[in-house]
Amino acid sequence: IELAQVLQSNTGIKNLNVSHNGIGPNGTRAIVGVLLLLLSFSSTNGCSSLSQLSLQGNPLRNSGVKAIAKLIKMNPTNLVEIDLDDTQVGLIGYNAIMEALKYNTIL
């Protein structure tokens, strides 16, 4: 959650790699919440520049990946890569990602 607070004040981050940091569903939802806020803000002033997000090796589980699906569905134009390898995701999480990708023209 401290990372989410840092993201709020650092809108110029291009690559965010938080692989293997023990980030679970709650932390994922906090990070995604800030990223969604930055995306809505950037639509008016272009301040979000995140192009790569790696959450590899974190226990996101289905509920954390569902939050990532919300981010994917927003279709951020700068975000071109999301690494979700080894995140303890089941069928529910994969289905959420697949559904979100229907609305995304970038990833």
Side-chain angles (χ1 to χ4, degrees):
I1 296 185
E2 289 177 20
L3 175 62
Q5 293 169 341
V6 170
L7 288 174
Q8 286 179 316
S9 59
N10 291 287
T11 57
I13 294 173
K14 294 188 186 301
N15 301 311
L16 180 59
N17 185 338
V18 289
S19 299
H20 304 284
N21 274 288
I23 298 170
N26 290 338
T28 304
R29 285 190 292 272
I31 291 169
V32 168
V34 171
L35 293 175
L36 289 172
L37 179 66
L38 291 174
L39 282 172
S40 65
F41 187 61
S42 71
S43 66
T44 57
N45 72 5
C47 80
S48 180
S49 60
L50 185 67
S51 63
Q52 296 176 321
L53 173 62
S54 178
L55 291 160
Q56 177 185 11
N58 289 298
L60 307 183
R61 298 185 182 85
N62 289 330
S63 58
V65 171
K66 284 170 131 180
I68 296 294
K70 288 180 187 176
L71 178 65
I72 290 170
K73 194 172 181 179
M74 287 288 296
N75 200 22
T77 55
N78 292 336
L79 189 58
V80 295
E81 182 180 333
I82 299 176
D83 185 353
L84 298 173
D85 189 37
D86 191 26
T87 53
Q88 301 178 10
V89 180
L91 187 58
I92 293 170
Y94 287 122
N95 284 339
I97 295 291
M98 294 302 293
E99 184 64 30
L101 286 170
K102 292 178 183 178
Y103 300 93
N104 188 295
T105 59
I106 305 299
L107 291 175

